[in-house]
Amino acid sequence: MGPLVPQGIISPEWDFIIALVIGIGFGFILEGAGFSSSRNLVGLFYGYDFVVLRVFFTGGATAAAGILLMDYFGWIDIGQLYVQPTYWGAAIVGGLIMGLGFVTGGFCPGTSFAAASIGKMDALMFVVGTFLGAFLFGETYPLIQNFVNSGYEGGIKIYDSLGMSRGLFTFLLILVAVGMFYFVPVIEKKVRKPEY
Amino acid sequence: MQKGTIFLTVVALGIGVLVWLLPERPESNDIPPHILLHDIGSGTRFYSTDQIASMLIGRDPSLQLIDVRDPEAYDKFHLPGAVNIPLKNILQEENIDMLSGEEQQHVFYSNGTLRANQAWVLTKRMGIKNTFVMQGGLNHWIETIMNPPYPPSSAPSQAFDLYDFRVAAGSYFRGETAAPVKKQKAPVKVVPRRKKKVTVSGGC
Amino acid sequence: MGKIHLNSNHWAALLLLLLVVPGFIFSHRPLQYYPVSEQEILEEVLAMKDALTPGEVRKALRSGDPSVVLVDLRTPAEYVIGHLGGAVNIPVFDLLQKENLKMFGDTTKTFVLYADNEVNGCGPWMLLRQLGYDNVKVMLGGYDFYITGKPMPKEIEGKCYDEHPRYDYASFFKGNRADVQPKKTPPKVVIPRNKKKVTVSGGC
């Protein structure tokens, strides 16, 4: 039956309403997981708090296993899911900018909105910066167009590139995630959380 | 170590092994048989020759006619704008790619309906959405557009309108004059004039 | 309640199990919908080996061979009005019902499908062939041709009745197809008019 929108079971006009509902849920979970605190977020970098890693690994592993199982049950069709195409040049530089901004500012785009919603001034500036950056990108797009589109690979998938089945890759992902959950507390104990 | 942690670890690893062992589905866009049966049973795939004629006259850019007959038959005669994909070549990759394009309606035709219909069933099974069939094929095209039967005098006025349209379309495709096509939407007054013309030509 | 304490971890794991277990129980999606590939079907369709002429069907009916079962794909009303001897009525939309598929699974018998015409018989036949039933055949001409009692015309004996070119198509056009193209000129007439309009509005 699924995916619901490309199959026409839910009409595309409902896209925005569904996005709104999912967005509210996502923001709720982000705030609930403590992602609106920049101290929790940059803890990953300094090594005293790995909540970000835990949440995102859990999310990734659950989604991967769930989609594979649902495809097997016939509830969803993997072939019809949209795969974001890969651009190597833009991905590497964008990742560097994002990581640098993350560790200096203490938020990523999504969490800055979650933090702004509970009234944090620095997060609010982050949101303003996000819009300014998007505006600048749009204005300078003709200049950087060649770079943005460089290294195009299409919708490649990591398990295809590694030459393994997607089931095996998902199993390894879960294995790594579980390993992390046991290993990470050891680091957390060694690194003392700074007092503010 | 907490009991809950061990339990969760076991569940996670169990799901992981399960996912690993699942047989992988070969990649294909085939649609389920019951949906294919529904499409076969219902007539939504058919375009009438009249619809095709009016789309051709209107130069509808969304229409792409596809002649599934042999190249020899295609060279002898084909409808304007049609491309030739013989039925035996329909599964070739470049043809499938072309048929998968979603911006056009691909209408198959052949001498009759059968071959076009077979092409349609094959492409439909493969999950291609925009394929259709011209009902009756070229035989019906000749019978309706090029050589329309005159409706009996008891027929409703729509039948006469349709007849007028067909006569005009026929002369358009014969390459005589395009003018009557636009007059076709004129009021009913036109009908008696046409009638006279037809009887005269019958007398000849 | 004090002894069994469920924390949020347990709830999450339980929820997952409640999704996975019913999934395995109610999972009906086979790895492949069709055991027979498109290419094989295309070759069979081109060879038309499984297509019987009305004459062959008549012969089989006269011989009283119990292994030949006729299947009427038309609606029950049409079936009641008239059908071929010993035919079973399976309206086309019921083709994939369990008991019908079970019937087609009987390999000791040969099933001959027919509908009102051969086009409506061919689609269901192709569907059953794609699902791997190779004891299914289709009658050419369909019921409407069969009851006329006429033998197949000599020139189309053994071929598709529907696909026989009944006319010399090119003769209706007499090489005038080239004349169709000059009719691209009328749009050119429209363009100057538009230009005038633009200048007028500019003057305002």
Side-chain angles (χ1 to χ4, degrees):
Chain A
M1 49 188 274
L4 298 175
V5 175
Q7 297 267 37
I9 294 166
I10 294 178
S11 69
E13 289 79 18
W14 278 83
D15 255 8
F16 297 105
I17 293 163
I18 293 166
L20 187 72
V21 172
I22 293 177
I24 290 171
F26 185 56
F28 191 82
I29 299 291
L30 280 183
E31 167 62 20
F35 277 27
S36 53
S37 154
S38 53
R39 283 179 201 125
N40 285 347
L41 292 169
V42 294
L44 180 63
F45 180 73
Y46 295 112
Y48 59 79
D49 193 343
F50 283 90
V51 64
V52 179
L53 196 75
R54 286 200 189 93
V55 169
F56 279 111
F57 248 116
T58 316
T62 311
I67 286 181
L68 283 195
L69 279 171
M70 283 184 174
D71 180 65
Y72 178 74
F73 300 150
W75 297 346
I76 201 168
D77 187 354
I78 281 189
Q80 297 208 21
L81 295 180
Y82 176 70
V83 179
Q84 186 77 28
T86 302
Y87 297 90
W88 282 119
I92 290 169
V93 174
L96 282 175
I97 295 174
M98 161 123 181
L100 205 68
F102 200 161
V103 79
T104 32
F107 294 110
C108 72
T111 52
S112 69
F113 281 95
S117 71
I118 59 169
K120 293 199 171 171
M121 286 309 286
D122 55 338
L124 208 59
M125 290 321 288
F126 233 93
V127 172
V128 173
T130 310
F131 285 122
L132 267 179
F135 178 73
L136 272 178
F137 177 82
E139 288 301 305
T140 58
Y141 184 73
L143 297 175
I144 55 175
Q145 190 176 13
N146 284 335
F147 170 71
V148 170
N149 294 326
S150 65
Y152 177 73
E153 291 274 354
I156 50 169
K157 293 159 194 153
I158 197 162
Y159 49 81
D160 286 340
S161 310
L162 293 173
M164 58 173 77
S165 77
R166 57 189 184 207
L168 177 60
F169 179 78
T170 310
F171 172 67
L172 291 179
L173 185 74
I174 293 173
L175 204 65
V176 170
V178 171
M180 285 281 193
F181 295 149
Y182 281 100
F183 177 64
V184 152
V186 180
I187 306 178
E188 277 177 343
K189 267 179 199 163
K190 280 193 179 168
V191 180
R192 208 169 56 84
K193 189 174 181 179
E195 300 287 333
Y196 297 101
Chain B
M1 189 141 302
Q2 265 184 309
K3 258 188 182 175
T5 326
I6 297 171
F7 176 66
L8 270 185
T9 310
V10 171
V11 168
L13 288 181
I15 297 268
V17 172
L18 188 70
V19 165
W20 182 15
L21 295 180
L22 284 184
E24 201 157 334
R25 202 185 300 281
E27 269 191 37
S28 82
N29 295 324
D30 286 359
I31 62 168
H34 66 275
I35 293 179
L36 184 57
L37 177 72
H38 182 266
D39 287 344
I40 285 174
S42 61
T44 48
R45 64 181 176 282
F46 287 123
Y47 269 112
S48 74
T49 47
D50 297 316
Q51 282 170 312
I52 295 292
S54 87
M55 283 165 99
L56 280 177
I57 292 167
R59 300 193 179 280
D60 190 336
S62 70
L63 174 73
Q64 177 62 65
L65 283 170
I66 289 163
D67 194 321
V68 298
R69 302 172 303 157
D70 300 330
E72 300 91 67
Y74 173 82
D75 287 342
K76 240 186 227 170
F77 168 74
H78 59 88
L79 293 180
V83 293
N84 185 218
I85 302 179
L87 183 59
K88 62 174 184 289
N89 296 344
I90 196 124
L91 294 177
Q92 283 172 7
E93 209 171 336
E94 68 267 24
N95 293 336
I96 290 298
D97 285 349
M98 181 225 158
L99 293 173
S100 311
E102 302 219 335
E103 55 284 338
Q104 279 190 314
Q105 300 182 316
H106 303 102
V107 182
F108 294 120
Y109 75 84
S110 58
N111 288 336
T113 323
L114 190 75
R115 291 298 187 195
N117 191 58
Q118 287 168 341
W120 175 84
V121 172
L122 283 170
T123 53
K124 192 77 191 171
R125 163 197 158 154
M126 297 170 74
I128 296 172
K129 284 176 188 145
N130 278 344
T131 51
F132 301 89
V133 175
M134 184 171 96
Q135 193 160 30
L138 286 177
N139 284 334
H140 200 58
W141 176 272
I142 297 293
E143 281 157 15
T144 52
I145 306 296
M146 306 313 294
N147 204 3
Y150 191 72
S153 55
S154 59
S157 68
Q158 287 97 324
F160 288 96
D161 289 347
L162 182 64
Y163 176 76
D164 284 347
F165 167 73
R166 285 171 168 178
V167 168
S171 68
Y172 173 87
F173 288 109
R174 255 179 230 110
E176 282 164 5
T177 166
V181 182
K182 280 171 189 169
K183 279 184 189 165
Q184 188 254 331
K185 278 173 189 169
V188 198
K189 279 180 187 173
V190 185
V191 178
R193 274 184 226 155
R194 287 272 157 70
K195 268 184 190 168
K196 274 174 202 165
K197 267 185 197 169
V198 171
T199 47
V200 168
S201 69
C204 294
Chain C
M1 283 304 284
K3 281 181 186 174
I4 309 166
H5 179 70
L6 286 172
N7 63 15
S8 58
N9 287 347
H10 291 118
W11 283 116
L14 254 175
L15 198 68
L16 195 57
L17 283 177
L18 283 180
L19 271 176
V20 171
V21 173
F24 274 102
I25 294 171
F26 299 111
S27 157
H28 288 306
R29 188 174 166 195
L31 284 184
Q32 266 178 310
Y33 288 131
Y34 306 101
V36 185
S37 74
E38 305 95 52
Q39 196 61 46
E40 289 170 68
I41 292 299
L42 179 61
E43 276 155 24
E44 281 201 22
V45 156
L46 289 171
M48 290 301 277
K49 262 185 207 156
D50 281 345
L52 302 178
T53 61
E56 286 169 326
V57 172
R58 207 170 275 133
K59 218 180 275 171
L61 277 182
R62 281 211 195 103
S63 70
D65 187 352
S67 72
V68 177
V69 180
L70 288 172
V71 178
D72 191 320
L73 295 170
R74 299 171 306 153
T75 60
E78 287 169 312
Y79 175 81
V80 168
I81 292 170
H83 58 90
L84 302 192
V88 194
N89 184 219
I90 301 179
V92 69
F93 290 114
D94 298 343
L95 195 67
L96 294 180
Q97 279 178 6
K98 259 185 198 162
E99 63 267 23
N100 294 333
L101 287 183
K102 206 174 155 194
M103 186 186 90
F104 290 123
D106 184 355
T107 48
T108 59
K109 285 179 180 160
T110 306
F111 297 92
V112 182
L113 307 183
Y114 73 87
D116 44 0
N117 57 43
E118 58 191 8
V119 175
N120 290 342
C122 187
W125 168 72
M126 280 176 81
L127 179 64
L128 285 178
R129 274 302 292 127
Q130 296 182 64
L131 290 170
Y133 297 94
D134 48 12
N135 53 342
V136 177
K137 296 183 190 300
V138 62
M139 184 174 81
L140 287 177
Y143 182 76
D144 292 349
F145 185 82
Y146 185 95
I147 53 160
T148 59
K150 283 187 284 190
M152 278 272 180
K154 267 272 162 58
E155 67 272 19
I156 51 173
E157 184 67 44
K159 291 187 205 146
C160 325
Y161 172 71
D162 177 62
E163 277 301 312
H164 180 65
R166 290 203 284 272
Y167 311 93
D168 179 12
Y169 305 125
S171 70
F172 282 85
F173 294 81
K174 287 178 184 159
N176 279 341
R177 255 191 317 110
D179 298 345
V180 179
Q181 277 144 359
K183 234 151 290 118
K184 278 173 186 167
T185 40
K188 278 180 193 164
V189 184
V190 184
I191 296 166
R193 267 184 229 152
N194 283 350
K195 271 183 191 165
K196 273 178 204 163
K197 268 182 198 167
V198 171
T199 48
V200 168
S201 66
C204 292

